[in-house]
Amino acid sequence: DPVVLSERLERLAHALDYDLGAAEPLLAELRAGVSGTPLEPEIATLATQVDRFAIDEALTQLNTLQERLKPAN
């Protein structure tokens, strides 16, 4: 569901900025939600970046992903 995915990505962006402890459960939700889809490798990379505390890289990738998923008007 694109709406649920977008909402989870938004919550993850907030967690990466303000509450790293909240990022792990959100990443687990995201990974479960994209399992078997073309987004699975991107979310896995994002999770790896967060695990390595490469927060700036993770935020950059997250922003790119959010832009790609925005509906075209």
Side-chain angles (χ1 to χ4, degrees):
D1 180 356
V3 173
V4 172
L5 179 60
S6 179
E7 193 267 338
R8 285 180 179 157
L9 291 172
E10 190 62 40
R11 286 173 36 216
L12 179 59
H14 185 271
L16 292 177
D17 278 333
Y18 301 106
D19 182 10
L20 270 183
E24 199 61 43
L26 289 170
L27 283 165
E29 286 179 33
L30 280 164
R31 290 182 91 158
V34 299
S35 181
T37 73
L39 292 174
E40 186 174 13
E42 289 182 77
I43 299 300
T45 299
L46 192 59
T48 299
Q49 290 169 332
V50 172
D51 287 345
R52 290 190 341 235
F53 294 99
I55 304 307
D56 290 338
E57 290 173 27
L59 283 169
T60 298
Q61 181 170 345
L62 183 57
N63 289 333
T64 301
L65 184 58
Q66 286 176 306
E67 285 299 314
R68 256 193 23 244
L69 295 174
K70 279 186 180 174
N73 290 335

